[in-house]
Amino acid sequence: MKINENYKKLAQSYLFSTIAKKVNEFSKNNPDKKIIRLGIGDVTKPLCKSTVDAMAAAVQEMGTPEGFHGYGPEQGYDFLKEKIQNYYLKRNVKLELDEIFISDGAKSDLGNILDLFSKDNTVLIPDPVYPVYVDTNTMQDRKIIFLEANQANDFLPMPDDNIKADIVYLCSPNNPTGAVYNKEQLKKWVDWALKNKAVILFDAAYECFIGDDNLPRSIFEIEGARDCAIEFCSFSKTAGFTGTRCGYTIVVKNLVFDEMSLNKMWLRRQTTKFNGVPYIVQRGAEAVFSEKGQVEIKENIDYYKRNAFVIAETLKKHNIWFTGGIHSPYIWMQCPNNMTSWEFFDFLLENVAVVGTPGSGFGKNGEGFFRLTAFGTYEGTKEAMERFDTILS
Ligand code: PLP
């Protein structure tokens, strides 16, 4: 037996384990200090009532002979796909039901989609980046070209004619930088993809944080995207499903390469390797789209956005350069006084007991930057910013 040697090439990620080690040590040596964590990427607000009620009802249903559901359609139940279809229609994006595939979250599909593509393809991945894109391609030994995201381009890298690649990952609103592409910028990417016969893998996991109707929440709001893009979305950040697990992937039928339909290939892949998301969970996700569900999730999203606002205002006050924080739960700040990401991490922890995430953990271009998240409590975020005031003044 020979193992997949590509796993040897995976960079070990010490980011979160190193953070945990440093925080534990600090807490042991300073038992009286209250640590505030602004590093978490997980949501903290509980599921909304509509979702809980719908799941509870579905559990009861499952315990009756007439309401029992066994294996469901691998690509998801129509009742949920119809709600997603309507959600897109509100932004004039027309999708057919069989272009929507329900999944157990965006992470799985972002990795699994690579089953459809040859290992000979070259992929273009922004740096800094959500590490899943890099690792899943490394596991399959695909050639990776990094796309430079930096202060000069506001961490929104754009295509140019010198870049040749077959697959590009775009994430907007972005993790870790919180930066958001506008329609003109995404149009340039779509045009580049069409010209190069490339595919855009568009990660819209944070679309619910967009508060400006002029900003695109979906790549399919851009003309031409139906001929070059696949979109990944999730209920994780939208409705607190990080532990409940549900998302969806849009593979439209226009995508035909080498006489093969990516939509048909993805259906074949999913029906072969995936047995669908639990009925109970899909009923919970469906409830997110009800009138009451929409109000409830908005309350939670607004709560996080208020935290982001508090952070952003503090940084503005101290003239610290940052991206994100308006249409995103992430704030990506430049470390003051030319500190490295880890120097700033230690400085914050030791002086004000605030924890964030060193930007260098997301790629080489993250060095000198730092990620703060809005997923904490309002009180904690406010207190952390008061502590920032004391050290940044
Ligand atoms: N995409 C991005 C950019 C993320 O930051 C995350 C999670 O943090 C995911 C996808 C994963 O989402 P899910 O929970 O749906 O797997």
Side-chain angles (χ1 to χ4, degrees):
M1 191 284 274
K2 285 192 183 131
I3 59 146
N4 179 350
E5 294 276 336
N6 300 318
Y7 277 65
K8 291 186 179 168
K9 296 182 213 148
L10 292 170
Q12 288 301 319
S13 175
Y14 297 113
L15 180 65
F16 289 100
S17 57
T18 310
I19 292 174
K21 215 168 98 196
K22 281 178 181 262
V23 173
N24 285 343
E25 201 157 300
F26 176 82
S27 153
K28 211 166 72 195
N29 298 335
N30 302 274
D32 53 319
K33 293 229 170 101
K34 185 179 134 209
I35 297 171
I36 303 178
R37 292 166 201 272
L38 295 185
I40 34 169
D42 197 354
V43 293
T44 49
K45 289 262 163 209
L47 294 172
C48 71
K49 186 165 183 317
S50 300
T51 287
V52 173
D53 289 349
M55 289 206 289
V59 170
Q60 291 302 327
E61 219 188 322
M62 287 288 277
T64 63
E66 39 315 321
F68 172 73
H69 286 75
Y71 291 123
E74 292 88 345
Q75 61 278 29
Y77 286 103
D78 278 356
F79 63 76
L80 177 54
K81 294 202 285 179
E82 280 161 10
K83 302 295 181 308
I84 294 168
Q85 189 183 41
N86 272 331
Y87 183 65
Y88 275 77
L89 204 51
K90 284 190 189 136
R91 278 168 284 134
N92 285 325
V93 174
K94 292 192 184 75
L95 298 173
E96 290 178 39
L97 278 193
D98 53 1
E99 294 179 324
I100 302 166
F101 295 81
I102 308 299
S103 71
D104 63 352
K107 189 186 200 174
S108 324
D109 279 8
L110 281 159
N112 293 335
I113 200 77
L114 295 176
D115 274 11
L116 310 194
F117 306 118
S118 159
K119 306 227 175 355
D120 298 335
N121 285 314
T122 298
V123 294
L124 196 54
I125 301 182
D127 173 354
V129 74
Y130 175 55
V132 169
Y133 314 152
V134 178
D135 288 351
T136 50
N137 279 288
T138 305
M139 286 170 182
Q140 295 192 353
D141 200 25
R142 227 172 251 104
K143 184 177 167 209
I144 297 173
I145 301 176
F146 285 101
L147 189 58
E148 304 290 336
N150 49 39
Q151 211 171 357
N153 56 30
D154 288 329
F155 286 92
L156 290 169
M158 296 303 297
D160 71 51
D161 282 341
N162 301 322
I163 303 174
K164 297 276 174 253
D166 308 294
I167 297 167
V168 60
Y169 287 82
L170 298 178
C171 176
S172 176
N174 191 272
N175 178 15
T177 68
V180 185
Y181 281 112
N182 64 30
K183 285 189 180 160
E184 292 68 39
Q185 289 167 321
L186 279 189
K187 177 75 176 116
K188 288 197 176 124
W189 272 113
V190 166
D191 290 344
W192 173 88
L194 293 173
K195 191 169 157 198
N196 288 277
K197 295 191 170 30
V199 169
I200 297 173
L201 301 181
F202 190 76
D203 186 343
Y206 296 93
E207 59 87 18
C208 65
F209 284 89
I210 292 180
D212 178 347
D213 283 343
N214 293 317
L215 290 172
R217 286 171 165 232
S218 161
I219 186 89
F220 297 116
E221 290 175 51
I222 310 301
E223 200 195 324
R226 283 188 69 89
D227 294 313
C228 64
I230 294 176
E231 180 157 298
F232 303 84
C233 203
S234 168
F235 294 97
S236 283
K237 310 295 154 98
T238 306
F241 271 58
T242 49
T244 308
R245 311 305 305 147
C246 195
Y248 52 90
T249 295
I250 314 286
V251 189
V252 296
K253 292 184 192 158
N254 296 35
L255 299 174
V256 177
F257 291 79
D258 205 7
E259 292 172 21
M260 291 287 278
S261 152
L262 293 191
N263 174 280
K264 284 199 179 132
M265 286 172 74
W266 184 241
L267 178 66
R268 187 75 169 90
R269 192 263 170 219
Q270 291 299 78
T271 50
T272 304
K273 293 195 185 180
F274 183 56
N275 249 338
V277 176
Y279 173 73
I280 298 161
V281 171
Q282 292 193 55
R283 280 294 183 199
E286 180 196 21
V288 166
F289 295 102
S290 67
E291 219 171 288
K292 197 161 151 274
Q294 287 288 297
V295 172
E296 290 166 351
I297 61 157
K298 188 169 179 304
E299 240 168 62
N300 288 351
I301 294 164
D302 285 348
Y303 180 91
Y304 298 134
K305 286 178 85 161
R306 183 165 67 138
N307 290 348
F309 181 79
V310 172
I311 300 172
E313 286 302 301
T314 307
L315 299 181
K316 269 188 210 160
K317 191 163 80 186
H318 295 287
N319 287 323
I320 292 179
W321 191 94
F322 68 96
T323 53
I326 303 166
H327 303 289
S328 161
Y330 297 120
I331 290 98
W332 179 253
M333 62 176 284
Q334 187 173 31
C335 300
N337 295 337
N338 291 323
M339 276 189 249
T340 67
S341 301
W342 277 110
E343 278 168 357
F344 188 56
F345 176 92
D346 291 335
F347 175 78
L348 272 188
L349 182 62
E350 280 154 25
N351 291 288
V352 288
V354 172
V355 180
T357 313
S360 52
F362 299 98
K364 78 169 173 42
N365 287 349
E367 183 56 279
F369 290 86
F370 202 72
R371 192 190 75 171
L372 297 169
T373 83
F375 290 127
T377 63
Y378 177 67
E379 293 70 27
T381 308
K382 213 162 135 265
E383 190 179 334
M385 290 304 108
E386 281 157 12
R387 296 186 196 176
F388 260 53
D389 274 338
T390 62
I391 48 161
L392 296 177
S393 306

